[in-house]
Amino acid sequence: MQQGNQTALERFPEHLKKAKLTITNLVFPLHLEFGPSRKLDRADRIRYINNNKFKIGIGGYGGFNIGTRQKLKYQLNGQNHKDKQKQSFNTSNLVYGLSSYIGFGDTALYVKYDLSPIFKDQITDQHNISVGIRFDID
């Protein structure tokens, strides 16, 4: 629930089957990558090949929020209901943070931490942390 400039969680009066808040961001990463590579020098370009090599990347990212949605599934008087709301929910418009990855070949494990808070003007800042698998496509 949005109360002025703050977003607050509140107890839903009915039995919730699902409560989901989706924040979609478009971000642009920039990393320094460390690890062995082989230089391939051609007439029109230079390329560094790191197939089947160990690599580590450190850096950051910046971007902006392109959408926020809330989905609620619940039962009311024996009937199933689904509510979808698309609004800002007072989420931060700009996102930025730190990220790193470690991998071998075309696969890597990554971690990223948002330095920007999820919601604007909150009493307590909440920051997102993500962990996942990254696949490089050449």
Side-chain angles (χ1 to χ4, degrees):
M1 176 172 72
Q2 197 164 337
Q3 301 170 341
N5 289 340
Q6 292 191 346
T7 301
L9 296 177
E10 64 179 21
R11 187 171 296 278
F12 196 73
E14 306 302 324
H15 173 69
L16 272 175
K17 292 181 179 181
K18 186 178 197 177
K20 181 178 176 182
L21 178 67
T22 304
I23 302 170
T24 305
N25 297 320
L26 179 61
V27 297
F28 302 95
L30 183 62
H31 292 94
L32 293 174
E33 186 171 285
F34 302 96
S37 63
R38 183 173 44 97
K39 185 177 179 181
L40 184 61
D41 197 358
R42 297 208 173 148
D44 59 339
R45 66 178 182 244
I46 296 175
R47 186 134 187 210
Y48 293 92
I49 309 295
N50 63 354
N51 294 346
N52 298 323
K53 304 285 185 184
F54 178 77
K55 59 186 169 190
I56 295 174
I58 56 172
Y61 58 93
F64 50 92
N65 181 338
I66 58 174
T68 305
R69 292 185 189 97
Q70 182 183 42
K71 183 187 219 181
L72 301 172
K73 287 185 179 181
Y74 58 94
Q75 208 171 39
L76 180 64
N77 298 327
Q79 293 184 1
N80 291 330
H81 292 272
K82 187 189 309 185
D83 290 345
K84 295 180 182 178
Q85 299 174 357
K86 185 177 179 181
Q87 55 183 324
S88 76
F89 293 103
N90 205 30
T91 54
S92 297
N93 294 328
L94 297 176
V95 292
Y96 51 91
L98 302 172
S99 63
S100 181
Y101 60 88
I102 184 169
F104 184 81
D106 293 336
T107 307
L109 178 66
Y110 76 87
V111 175
K112 67 181 202 117
Y113 177 74
D114 286 355
L115 295 173
S116 58
I118 296 172
F119 299 104
K120 298 182 274 189
D121 304 321
Q122 294 297 102
I123 295 171
T124 304
D125 284 344
Q126 298 173 1
H127 300 272
N128 193 31
I129 186 166
S130 302
V131 178
I133 297 175
R134 187 182 101 157
F135 300 102
D136 294 343
I137 300 173
D138 290 335

